[in-house]
Amino acid sequence: MKIHRPLNPIGKTWTTLVGILLFFSGQVFSQVQSLAGEWQFRMDSVQQLAAIQLPGSCEEQGFGAKATVKDSNRLTRNIRYVGKAWYQKTITIPQQWKGKRVELFLERCLWESAIWLDGKPFGLRNSLSTPHLYDLGVVTPGTHTLLVSVDNTIKLPIGEWGFALADDTQGNWNGIIGRLELRATDPVWIRQVLVFPDHLKISIGNATGKMQNATIRNTNIRIPTGGAVIALPFTPAAPNWDEFAPNMQELQLTLKTQQYSHTKIVPYGIRSLTTKNGQFLLNGRPTLFRGPNNECVYPKTQYPPMDKASWLNLFTICQSYGFNFMRFNSWCPPEAAFLAANELGYFLQVEIPFWSIFTDEYGAHPAREQFLEEELMHILENYGNNPSFAFMAMGNESPGPLDVLVRKGKSVDTRMLYRCQDGDTITKGDFAERGTEIGMRGVKGPTTDWDRWSLIRTKEVEKYKQLSLPTIGHEVGQWASYPDYDQITKFTGNLKPYNYENYRNSLERHNMADQNKAFAQASGRFAVSLYKEEIEGSFRTYPYGGFGIVEARDFTGEGAAMIGWLDAFWDSKGLISPADFRRFCGPTVCLLRMPKRIYTNDDLFSAQAEISHYAPENVQSPTHWKIEDEQGKIVASGKFASKEIITGKLNRLGRISASLKSITSPARLIVTVRSAGTSNSWNIWVYPVQQTVKSPQVKVAYDFDAATKQALARGENVLLFSSPGQGLNEIESSFMGPAKVREFAPVTKGKSAIPGSYMPSFWSMRLFNQIGTLGILCNPEHPALAAFPTEAHSDWQWADLLGRYTAQTSYGIAGDTAQHDWKDKFDRSKAIILNETPADYRPIVQMIDNYERNYKLGIIFETKVGKGKLLVCAVDLDTDAENRPAARQLKASLLQYAAGDQFNPAHELPIELLERMLTF
């Protein structure tokens, strides 16, 4: 297909100093007329005109076909229009514009636009990433009819999940958003100015039809017909633009001929972004990028905000959580995002609109490849002057020779750093973003004594370290939590949350609607704790480039992935405050390497304290540490002498060593390290080394057999350990599988449970069918847990008990076939399906099921059985018990409860149901 573009002022012959950057953003025209307001509109198949407001989409204003199917995989476009749509407006060219050249600026359309002025065609434009600009030439003053056609049919196979137009994100809306303007200049004008450390590159237009003599910055120049690109010496103002001091400057340029004049004011900033020895250098100082992806989820409007204030608010939210970076997954934000980021010292990674999933890899479709190259060039020419524009990537997770685009981009503009998929050589980019091999969802279990290099085969580690390319962890996290359905009322736009409503209705059918908020809080706090581990693992890796959290907020598509501590509207879920998040995510973070989380009071607690420091300069600081109990009583404390903490480094602070003999009762302790004006904390658990696990008042059983039933018939108290390896439903591996793969038949003998898992669901059950549970929910005050300190949600003392406590399974789900040394444990627990219990029946320790399935699941539960009382534990607390203090402690707590007066179950479950659940 033919690609229509305005003159590109960035030429192949333009040589720049690698990594040394000066920028401008914004343009000032002599006269601008906004076309925002009421337009006439019709769909392609309809002749009757209707009124519509622009900027906006036709769908949000009710034009299109109403959805007949409620989408279960994503939000539903309640009104959908795909095809050509026609937008018409009567415009008035003022008398002052007589003899001026006029251009039409449409900031963003999907996908192709074409225009006519008084019936005369002016061609078409087709960009998903940048403005559509039309040169109308000299237009006579007076009224004229402007007709714009916008066609949002899919033009090329760029991947149906590419977030520039995917239904899983903004959706392929039809309309015009952002600025709609007529702009007037003299026939000789300044098109564009690019500012470099020692020169300006100026593109000048000439529509007079003859050569023009002109002056600019006291320099005489000759401008041929059609225009020219010139270079002029320049000394920029100081100081540099920086993350911590985002200094923007302003340059005024005036072009004069004998007859014409044009002035442009160019804001700009200067910075240097380079790489060395596995790190990024900002103005020569090492920095580490940390931030969320932005996958174009905007449920109220469908489309992204186009005003600076909205982006200032968004980036300020991100900065409040310690972030300094945002990746735009397979799409490009509007100019307002760059302007806001410039102001705040925030960094952006922009991507061409390409994700090859479900389509051909790059190189297989010449017309598409031409379009993508044009998109790359147009992104660079429109936004490359912004100092916040740090990284340019060739789409998301797409194979093929995309290094062709990397080389193309670097040949015309070296002001940002580049990468493509598998960017592990300098020809493929300036940094690596490898995903499963480097930096992707790396929780390795109940310890903090690891870094990301430990997840890679030794050979691969050496390969990447020798390359000296920085690595950015790709899509870190993706741990799902349960949604709070109160948010459904927030979806007031065209995108309707029918999928959320389905999940809520399912929870109601399973008689657990009253637990919605408890599920959301418990699973959410658990997921946040895993993000803490991921982020700290990144900081403990040195050298390292940074990490991209897959999303800080929920993702409403691809099966609905509730993977954020913010909802889809960037609003807090109340799981963690920004101040608490910054303790483990920010320029300076205290860290701790310790071999385990679970101790006995015979152990010596020993750990290495470190600090990751990426602030503007070195600091001199002592370090304080303490271990305290939940009431704030100090168990041990100490201080390390003041030392210089070097910026751009992982600094060792000292080794903590403390006796735990004073802990005579089971306890959760909090270890805190404080240095350089910040602090961070970690939970550990300490249990008495000796446990009394025998109780004559309790029969301990391992089968629901005749002997167990006879004991219950005699009125005995029975603690039954139901084998985690028996009675399991099989989990069918499936990608975007049908609903039946996520469901199980009613409980029968031998099929009564699902495998236990400490780690929660990865991304979503619809995308990747898996165990799918979301951590535990319990009442910490329940007497069965009196001797086993716990919060209402999963924490690391549950990891060994539940098993599957590493990201090993999620690596496999994500396609990683490498063999990692995970040392994980399986068949440690199971979750018994309790759907047939009374509506108000609640297990003592409940496993929160995925919102797709909403089964009532029990890890530990109780019931009366005739004269007897039965306590069921579906956790293996005996295997290797001598080396598992948490297992010994939980068993002691359950025995103590089962032998006491407080063991008095409120319900009696039918013996027939117990037979089906507990016999194999």
Side-chain angles (χ1 to χ4, degrees):
M1 65 188 299
K2 184 173 177 58
I3 310 297
H4 297 261
R5 301 290 193 205
L7 177 66
N8 180 1
I10 304 178
K12 289 184 179 180
T13 59
W14 188 354
T15 303
T16 64
L17 298 176
V18 176
I20 304 298
L21 307 162
L22 272 163
F23 303 87
F24 87 97
S25 57
Q27 298 189 32
V28 176
F29 285 80
S30 57
Q31 298 180 67
V32 177
Q33 182 184 129
S34 173
L35 299 181
E38 184 175 295
W39 288 59
Q40 296 298 300
F41 168 82
R42 70 174 179 86
M43 294 177 282
D44 199 42
S45 60
V46 177
Q47 293 303 311
Q48 185 176 358
L49 290 173
I52 195 171
Q53 292 292 316
L54 293 180
S57 77
C58 67
E59 292 182 359
E60 69 181 330
Q61 298 177 64
F63 296 102
K66 189 170 179 61
T68 57
V69 176
K70 296 180 178 180
D71 202 322
S72 298
N73 287 320
R74 57 190 64 83
L75 301 177
T76 299
R77 283 167 70 186
N78 201 45
I79 301 293
R80 175 188 295 265
Y81 182 76
V82 178
K84 282 187 178 181
W86 301 87
Y87 302 85
Q88 181 175 298
K89 190 176 184 68
T90 299
I91 62 172
T92 300
I93 301 298
Q95 190 64 35
Q96 301 94 302
W97 288 14
K98 184 177 181 180
K100 304 283 187 183
R101 60 164 291 278
V102 178
E103 62 185 21
L104 173 66
F105 179 89
L106 308 176
E107 187 166 7
R108 184 151 298 190
C109 311
L110 300 186
W111 177 331
E112 183 177 272
S113 69
I115 74 161
W116 294 258
L117 185 66
D118 298 329
K120 178 183 177 182
F122 281 84
L124 60 84
R125 306 287 184 267
N126 48 7
S127 174
L128 295 167
S129 308
T130 59
H132 293 199
L133 187 66
Y134 293 88
D135 191 332
L136 305 180
V138 176
V139 183
T140 58
T143 59
H144 300 269
T145 299
L146 176 64
L147 179 63
V148 180
S149 167
V150 177
D151 186 355
N152 66 333
T153 55
I154 302 300
K155 302 299 178 185
L156 293 164
I158 61 172
E160 62 186 72
W161 275 5
F163 297 147
L165 44 68
D167 273 348
D168 291 274
T169 57
Q170 62 176 311
N172 186 21
W173 46 267
N174 190 307
I176 307 170
I177 61 173
R179 287 172 290 157
L180 295 77
E181 297 172 346
L182 293 174
R183 299 169 168 183
T185 70
D186 280 350
V188 182
W189 75 103
I190 302 172
R191 278 197 178 105
Q192 189 178 50
V193 180
L194 299 169
V195 186
F196 284 79
D198 59 351
H199 70 281
L200 305 175
K201 204 73 176 182
I202 307 171
S203 173
I204 300 172
N206 178 6
T208 64
K210 60 184 179 179
M211 177 78 71
Q212 293 287 327
N213 295 314
T215 60
I216 187 169
R217 289 184 61 83
N218 299 316
T219 301
N220 295 322
I221 59 174
R222 290 172 64 81
I223 309 171
T225 299
V229 178
I230 64 170
L232 293 179
F234 178 66
T235 301
N240 286 356
W241 185 95
D242 186 270
E243 172 186 355
F244 301 101
N247 300 297
M248 296 294 291
Q249 312 296 336
E250 192 173 88
L251 170 68
Q252 181 171 305
L253 293 174
T254 299
L255 173 71
K256 290 185 177 180
T257 70
Q258 186 174 10
Q259 185 176 358
Y260 306 115
S261 177
H262 184 212
T263 296
K264 184 184 288 291
I265 298 174
V266 184
Y268 71 92
I270 181 171
R271 65 148 171 82
S272 165
L273 183 61
T274 57
T275 69
K276 184 179 180 181
N277 297 332
Q279 291 187 289
F280 294 106
L281 302 182
L282 177 64
N283 300 324
R285 185 189 71 247
T287 192
L288 190 144
F289 293 97
R290 53 197 185 274
N293 286 357
N294 184 315
E295 297 174 303
C296 209
V297 173
Y298 292 99
K300 287 186 178 178
T301 58
Q302 292 185 228
Y303 48 79
M306 303 297 286
D307 62 294
K308 181 181 173 183
S310 293
W311 287 100
L312 284 171
N313 179 64
L314 189 155
F315 293 145
T316 299
I317 290 171
C318 292
Q319 286 182 321
S320 75
Y321 288 94
F323 294 135
N324 66 352
F325 161 74
M326 179 173 283
R327 173 191 169 222
F328 292 84
N329 184 332
S330 60
W331 73 288
C332 178
E335 181 186 36
F338 295 96
L339 299 180
N342 292 346
E343 185 174 315
L344 295 175
Y346 205 79
F347 299 95
L348 308 182
Q349 176 171 313
V350 178
E351 298 187 358
I352 60 173
F354 181 54
W355 185 3
S356 64
I357 190 170
F358 304 133
T359 190
D360 296 329
E361 69 176 46
Y362 184 83
H365 198 295
R368 179 192 63 189
E369 273 59 290
Q370 180 190 356
F371 168 77
L372 292 176
E373 181 178 320
E374 290 286 339
E375 282 289 90
L376 170 62
M377 293 297 101
H378 217 198
I379 288 169
L380 295 177
E381 73 179 49
N382 276 270
Y383 309 123
N385 290 318
N386 296 282
S388 57
F389 188 173
F391 304 109
M392 181 71 236
M394 304 308 132
N396 177 57
E397 298 177 1
S398 297
L402 283 156
D403 50 309
V404 170
L405 292 183
V406 168
R407 291 193 295 273
K408 177 69 175 179
K410 294 177 75 169
S411 73
V412 300
D413 195 340
T414 56
R415 297 174 295 170
M416 62 288 298
L417 301 179
Y418 293 80
R419 75 107 185 134
C420 62
Q421 180 78 355
D422 296 332
D424 58 354
T425 68
I426 195 64
T427 61
K428 291 190 174 182
D430 301 301
F431 63 101
E433 193 181 21
R434 285 280 299 198
T436 52
E437 282 193 2
I438 294 183
M440 192 174 188
R441 57 196 79 89
V443 170
K444 202 176 179 183
T447 171
T448 62
D449 196 15
W450 63 278
D451 63 30
R452 292 192 181 280
W453 297 121
S454 71
L455 300 180
I456 314 168
R457 296 180 294 275
T458 302
K459 185 177 179 181
E460 291 293 317
V461 170
E462 293 309 313
K463 175 178 130 183
Y464 280 93
K465 288 190 173 180
Q466 288 169 11
L467 284 171
S468 78
L469 292 178
T471 298
I472 293 182
H474 175 73
E475 298 189 353
V476 167
Q478 310 192 45
W479 307 118
S481 57
Y482 203 92
D484 182 342
Y485 296 125
D486 281 355
Q487 68 181 289
I488 287 176
T489 59
K490 297 168 73 171
F491 292 84
T492 56
N494 184 50
L495 294 175
K496 300 302 182 185
Y498 299 131
N499 52 343
Y500 284 65
E501 292 175 2
N502 289 341
Y503 307 148
R504 181 190 60 191
N505 295 341
S506 170
L507 187 67
E508 291 173 351
R509 288 195 302 272
H510 287 92
N511 302 309
M512 293 181 290
D514 62 305
Q515 292 186 287
N516 179 209
K517 289 189 179 299
F519 285 172
Q521 285 294 303
S523 63
R525 292 181 187 277
F526 174 38
V528 166
S529 75
L530 297 180
Y531 280 111
K532 183 177 190 291
E533 294 299 309
E534 297 254 24
I535 291 169
E536 290 177 0
S538 294
F539 286 133
R540 285 196 304 275
T541 302
Y542 182 85
Y544 202 58
F547 58 87
I549 297 290
V550 70
E551 276 270 15
R553 56 183 175 153
D554 290 341
F555 183 79
T556 55
E558 295 178 11
M562 311 304 177
I563 41 80
W565 57 95
L566 308 176
D567 67 18
F569 303 89
W570 295 98
D571 294 330
S572 172
K573 296 180 180 179
L575 302 173
I576 188 170
S577 70
D580 284 341
F581 201 95
R582 287 197 305 274
R583 295 182 73 199
F584 58 83
C585 181
T588 304
V589 173
C590 294
L591 301 167
L592 198 62
R593 292 182 188 268
M594 51 186 167
K596 56 186 179 181
R597 298 288 192 138
I598 309 299
Y599 297 83
T600 70
N601 55 359
D602 267 4
D603 288 331
L604 184 71
F605 178 79
S606 180
Q608 177 66 49
E610 299 174 334
I611 190 166
S612 171
H613 187 55
Y614 289 92
E617 56 191 19
N618 302 345
V619 296
Q620 190 78 25
S621 176
T623 298
H624 298 265
W625 63 268
K626 64 180 178 178
I627 304 175
E628 60 187 332
D629 65 18
E630 293 184 72
Q631 288 72 45
K633 179 182 177 181
I634 301 296
V635 173
S637 63
K639 178 181 178 181
F640 303 133
S642 181
K643 64 178 293 186
E644 187 175 27
I645 297 170
I646 309 299
T647 191
K649 296 282 187 181
L650 178 64
N651 299 263
R652 286 203 164 194
L653 298 174
R655 179 160 288 280
I656 298 171
S657 183
S659 170
L660 301 173
K661 288 189 180 297
S662 64
I663 309 300
T664 58
S665 300
R668 176 174 69 95
L669 303 181
I670 301 97
V671 184
T672 299
V673 176
R674 186 175 77 254
S675 188
T678 188
S679 68
N680 199 1
S681 296
W682 301 265
N683 293 333
I684 63 172
W685 290 262
V686 182
Y687 305 121
V689 68
Q690 297 295 330
Q691 296 290 349
T692 303
V693 297
K694 294 182 179 179
S695 176
Q697 295 87 8
V698 179
K699 175 180 173 58
V700 176
Y702 292 88
D703 290 295
F704 195 62
D705 54 13
T708 299
K709 295 171 194 172
Q710 288 167 7
L712 289 166
R714 291 193 297 268
E716 294 184 30
N717 294 355
V718 176
L719 172 54
L720 172 65
F721 289 97
S722 186
S723 171
Q726 294 182 293
L728 298 178
N729 284 282
E730 183 179 353
I731 306 298
E732 180 181 340
S733 296
S734 177
F735 180 80
M736 293 297 287
K740 65 180 182 180
V741 305
R742 297 181 289 276
E743 299 171 352
F744 306 113
V747 168
T748 59
K749 287 184 180 182
K751 297 290 183 182
S752 59
I754 62 176
S757 175
Y758 176 75
M759 296 300 283
S761 179
F762 165 75
W763 194 247
S764 76
M765 289 275 284
R766 283 180 180 257
L767 205 62
F768 307 107
N769 193 52
Q770 55 198 289
I771 291 172
T773 52
L774 303 173
I776 69 162
L777 173 66
C778 68
N779 175 8
E781 304 302 319
H782 194 285
L785 303 173
F788 188 77
T790 185
E791 295 181 89
H793 57 82
S794 293
D795 209 337
W796 288 109
Q797 87 277 30
W798 287 97
D800 175 69
L801 302 177
L802 298 176
R804 298 180 187 264
Y805 51 68
T806 77
Q808 178 174 348
T809 301
S810 73
Y811 266 62
I813 289 171
D816 183 25
T817 58
Q819 296 298 310
H820 300 292
D821 183 21
W822 292 97
K823 296 184 173 67
D824 209 338
K825 300 297 181 183
F826 299 88
D827 293 331
R828 279 282 167 83
S829 70
K830 64 183 177 184
I832 297 175
I833 299 170
L834 302 174
N835 291 344
E836 297 176 57
T837 60
D840 63 344
Y841 183 84
R842 298 290 181 261
I844 296 169
V845 178
Q846 184 170 359
M847 182 60 77
I848 303 169
D849 199 15
N850 196 279
Y851 39 88
E852 287 278 0
R853 193 168 48 208
N854 288 305
Y855 284 6
K856 188 188 298 183
L857 302 174
I859 298 289
I860 301 172
F861 58 94
E862 63 186 358
T863 179
K864 294 175 183 175
V865 183
K867 294 187 295 182
K869 291 176 283 188
L870 177 66
L871 179 63
V872 179
C873 177
V875 183
D876 178 0
L877 301 181
D878 294 316
T879 299
D880 196 27
E882 63 274 14
N883 296 314
R884 300 171 61 208
R888 299 198 304 269
Q889 188 63 49
L890 179 57
K891 188 171 185 178
S893 186
L894 295 178
L895 282 168
Q896 176 181 306
Y897 171 64
D901 294 336
Q902 291 180 294
F903 182 28
N904 187 26
H907 290 84
E908 180 164 7
L909 301 180
I911 191 69
E912 180 272 335
L913 176 59
L914 293 174
E915 289 272 5
R916 284 189 282 123
M917 291 194 301
L918 302 175
T919 59
F920 314 110

